[in-house]
PDB file of all heavy atoms in Angstrom:
ATOM      1  N   LYS A  57      -8.369  52.859   4.671  1.00  0.00           N
ATOM      2  CA  LYS A  57      -8.467  54.315   4.732  1.00  0.00           C
ATOM      3  C   LYS A  57      -9.518  54.789   3.748  1.00  0.00           C
ATOM      4  O   LYS A  57      -9.634  54.294   2.643  1.00  0.00           O
ATOM      5  CB  LYS A  57      -7.107  54.967   4.392  1.00  0.00           C
ATOM      6  CG  LYS A  57      -5.993  54.602   5.374  1.00  0.00           C
ATOM      7  CD  LYS A  57      -6.284  55.126   6.772  1.00  0.00           C
ATOM      8  CE  LYS A  57      -5.154  54.838   7.717  1.00  0.00           C
ATOM      9  NZ  LYS A  57      -5.412  55.357   9.072  1.00  0.00           N
ATOM     10  N   ARG A  58     -10.268  55.787   4.179  1.00  0.00           N
ATOM     11  CA  ARG A  58     -11.317  56.336   3.316  1.00  0.00           C
ATOM     12  C   ARG A  58     -10.728  56.965   2.069  1.00  0.00           C
ATOM     13  O   ARG A  58     -11.270  56.836   0.978  1.00  0.00           O
ATOM     14  CB  ARG A  58     -12.122  57.378   4.119  1.00  0.00           C
ATOM     15  CG  ARG A  58     -13.265  57.985   3.347  1.00  0.00           C
ATOM     16  CD  ARG A  58     -14.324  56.958   3.068  1.00  0.00           C
ATOM     17  NE  ARG A  58     -15.447  57.556   2.372  1.00  0.00           N
ATOM     18  CZ  ARG A  58     -16.457  56.853   1.861  1.00  0.00           C
ATOM     19  NH1 ARG A  58     -16.440  55.538   1.966  1.00  0.00           N
ATOM     20  NH2 ARG A  58     -17.458  57.450   1.275  1.00  0.00           N
ATOM     21  N   ALA A  59      -9.584  57.636   2.204  1.00  0.00           N
ATOM     22  CA  ALA A  59      -8.988  58.306   1.044  1.00  0.00           C
ATOM     23  C   ALA A  59      -8.560  57.306  -0.001  1.00  0.00           C
ATOM     24  O   ALA A  59      -8.706  57.528  -1.200  1.00  0.00           O
ATOM     25  CB  ALA A  59      -7.775  59.152   1.489  1.00  0.00           C
ATOM     26  N   ASP A  60      -8.026  56.181   0.440  1.00  0.00           N
ATOM     27  CA  ASP A  60      -7.593  55.144  -0.497  1.00  0.00           C
ATOM     28  C   ASP A  60      -8.764  54.636  -1.299  1.00  0.00           C
ATOM     29  O   ASP A  60      -8.690  54.488  -2.519  1.00  0.00           O
ATOM     30  CB  ASP A  60      -6.942  54.021   0.289  1.00  0.00           C
ATOM     31  CG  ASP A  60      -6.342  52.982  -0.633  1.00  0.00           C
ATOM     32  OD1 ASP A  60      -6.164  53.306  -1.814  1.00  0.00           O
ATOM     33  OD2 ASP A  60      -6.062  51.865  -0.164  1.00  0.00           O
ATOM     34  N   THR A  61      -9.852  54.379  -0.633  1.00  0.00           N
ATOM     35  CA  THR A  61     -11.020  53.841  -1.326  1.00  0.00           C
ATOM     36  C   THR A  61     -11.608  54.863  -2.282  1.00  0.00           C
ATOM     37  O   THR A  61     -12.034  54.542  -3.386  1.00  0.00           O
ATOM     38  CB  THR A  61     -12.063  53.420  -0.294  1.00  0.00           C
ATOM     39  OG1 THR A  61     -11.460  52.527   0.622  1.00  0.00           O
ATOM     40  CG2 THR A  61     -13.246  52.758  -0.970  1.00  0.00           C
ATOM     41  N   LEU A  62     -11.639  56.134  -1.856  1.00  0.00           N
ATOM     42  CA  LEU A  62     -12.213  57.170  -2.725  1.00  0.00           C
ATOM     43  C   LEU A  62     -11.416  57.311  -4.002  1.00  0.00           C
ATOM     44  O   LEU A  62     -11.966  57.444  -5.093  1.00  0.00           O
ATOM     45  CB  LEU A  62     -12.263  58.502  -1.975  1.00  0.00           C
ATOM     46  CG  LEU A  62     -13.303  58.592  -0.844  1.00  0.00           C
ATOM     47  CD1 LEU A  62     -13.182  59.926  -0.119  1.00  0.00           C
ATOM     48  CD2 LEU A  62     -14.701  58.415  -1.412  1.00  0.00           C
ATOM     49  N   GLU A  63     -10.072  57.290  -3.893  1.00  0.00           N
ATOM     50  CA  GLU A  63      -9.259  57.431  -5.097  1.00  0.00           C
ATOM     51  C   GLU A  63      -9.434  56.236  -6.022  1.00  0.00           C
ATOM     52  O   GLU A  63      -9.501  56.386  -7.233  1.00  0.00           O
ATOM     53  CB  GLU A  63      -7.798  57.592  -4.703  1.00  0.00           C
ATOM     54  CG  GLU A  63      -6.903  57.811  -5.937  1.00  0.00           C
ATOM     55  CD  GLU A  63      -5.457  58.004  -5.560  1.00  0.00           C
ATOM     56  OE1 GLU A  63      -5.161  58.021  -4.361  1.00  0.00           O
ATOM     57  OE2 GLU A  63      -4.641  58.137  -6.468  1.00  0.00           O
ATOM     58  N   GLN A  64      -9.540  55.044  -5.423  1.00  0.00           N
ATOM     59  CA  GLN A  64      -9.685  53.859  -6.259  1.00  0.00           C
ATOM     60  C   GLN A  64     -11.008  53.888  -6.993  1.00  0.00           C
ATOM     61  O   GLN A  64     -11.095  53.545  -8.164  1.00  0.00           O
ATOM     62  CB  GLN A  64      -9.571  52.612  -5.388  1.00  0.00           C
ATOM     63  CG  GLN A  64      -8.157  52.409  -4.861  1.00  0.00           C
ATOM     64  CD  GLN A  64      -8.130  51.499  -3.645  1.00  0.00           C
ATOM     65  OE1 GLN A  64      -9.149  50.960  -3.286  1.00  0.00           O
ATOM     66  NE2 GLN A  64      -6.977  51.374  -3.031  1.00  0.00           N
ATOM     67  N   LEU A  65     -12.064  54.272  -6.279  1.00  0.00           N
ATOM     68  CA  LEU A  65     -13.358  54.347  -6.954  1.00  0.00           C
ATOM     69  C   LEU A  65     -13.379  55.486  -7.964  1.00  0.00           C
ATOM     70  O   LEU A  65     -14.095  55.433  -8.953  1.00  0.00           O
ATOM     71  CB  LEU A  65     -14.475  54.532  -5.923  1.00  0.00           C
ATOM     72  CG  LEU A  65     -14.729  53.323  -5.029  1.00  0.00           C
ATOM     73  CD1 LEU A  65     -15.820  53.639  -4.025  1.00  0.00           C
ATOM     74  CD2 LEU A  65     -15.100  52.120  -5.859  1.00  0.00           C
ATOM     75  N   ASP A  66     -12.591  56.536  -7.700  1.00  0.00           N
ATOM     76  CA  ASP A  66     -12.542  57.631  -8.660  1.00  0.00           C
ATOM     77  C   ASP A  66     -11.895  57.202  -9.953  1.00  0.00           C
ATOM     78  O   ASP A  66     -12.269  57.645 -11.035  1.00  0.00           O
ATOM     79  CB  ASP A  66     -11.778  58.816  -8.034  1.00  0.00           C
ATOM     80  CG  ASP A  66     -11.737  60.002  -8.957  1.00  0.00           C
ATOM     81  OD1 ASP A  66     -12.818  60.545  -9.245  1.00  0.00           O
ATOM     82  OD2 ASP A  66     -10.634  60.363  -9.410  1.00  0.00           O
ATOM     83  N   THR A  67     -10.907  56.317  -9.874  1.00  0.00           N
ATOM     84  CA  THR A  67     -10.266  55.823 -11.096  1.00  0.00           C
ATOM     85  C   THR A  67     -11.220  55.006 -11.932  1.00  0.00           C
ATOM     86  O   THR A  67     -11.023  54.858 -13.127  1.00  0.00           O
ATOM     87  CB  THR A  67      -9.039  54.974 -10.734  1.00  0.00           C
ATOM     88  OG1 THR A  67      -9.482  53.888  -9.915  1.00  0.00           O
ATOM     89  CG2 THR A  67      -8.002  55.799  -9.991  1.00  0.00           C
ATOM     90  N   ASN A  68     -12.245  54.431 -11.330  1.00  0.00           N
ATOM     91  CA  ASN A  68     -13.218  53.639 -12.078  1.00  0.00           C
ATOM     92  C   ASN A  68     -14.385  54.480 -12.564  1.00  0.00           C
ATOM     93  O   ASN A  68     -15.323  53.954 -13.134  1.00  0.00           O
ATOM     94  CB  ASN A  68     -13.746  52.498 -11.212  1.00  0.00           C
ATOM     95  CG  ASN A  68     -12.673  51.470 -10.975  1.00  0.00           C
ATOM     96  OD1 ASN A  68     -12.026  51.032 -11.914  1.00  0.00           O
ATOM     97  ND2 ASN A  68     -12.469  51.092  -9.720  1.00  0.00           N
ATOM     98  N   GLY A  69     -14.356  55.765 -12.287  1.00  0.00           N
ATOM     99  CA  GLY A  69     -15.376  56.635 -12.852  1.00  0.00           C
ATOM    100  C   GLY A  69     -16.667  56.670 -12.098  1.00  0.00           C
ATOM    101  O   GLY A  69     -17.670  57.066 -12.659  1.00  0.00           O
ATOM    102  N   SER A  70     -16.670  56.254 -10.831  1.00  0.00           N
ATOM    103  CA  SER A  70     -17.934  56.242 -10.097  1.00  0.00           C
ATOM    104  C   SER A  70     -18.103  57.503  -9.278  1.00  0.00           C
ATOM    105  O   SER A  70     -19.088  58.209  -9.414  1.00  0.00           O
ATOM    106  CB  SER A  70     -17.985  55.015  -9.188  1.00  0.00           C
ATOM    107  OG  SER A  70     -19.170  55.026  -8.436  1.00  0.00           O
ATOM    108  N   ILE A  71     -17.104  57.817  -8.416  1.00  0.00           N
ATOM    109  CA  ILE A  71     -17.202  58.995  -7.569  1.00  0.00           C
ATOM    110  C   ILE A  71     -16.722  60.230  -8.307  1.00  0.00           C
ATOM    111  O   ILE A  71     -17.225  61.329  -8.097  1.00  0.00           O
ATOM    112  CB  ILE A  71     -16.382  58.804  -6.276  1.00  0.00           C
ATOM    113  CG1 ILE A  71     -16.860  57.558  -5.556  1.00  0.00           C
ATOM    114  CG2 ILE A  71     -16.486  59.998  -5.365  1.00  0.00           C
ATOM    115  CD1 ILE A  71     -18.287  57.639  -5.099  1.00  0.00           C
TER     116      ILE A  71
END
Side-chain angles (χ1 to χ4, degrees):
K57 298 296 183 179
R58 182 67 178 172
D60 186 17
T61 306
L62 289 176
E63 183 179 357
Q64 291 160 6
L65 291 178
D66 182 64
T67 59
N68 290 311
S70 177
I71 303 297

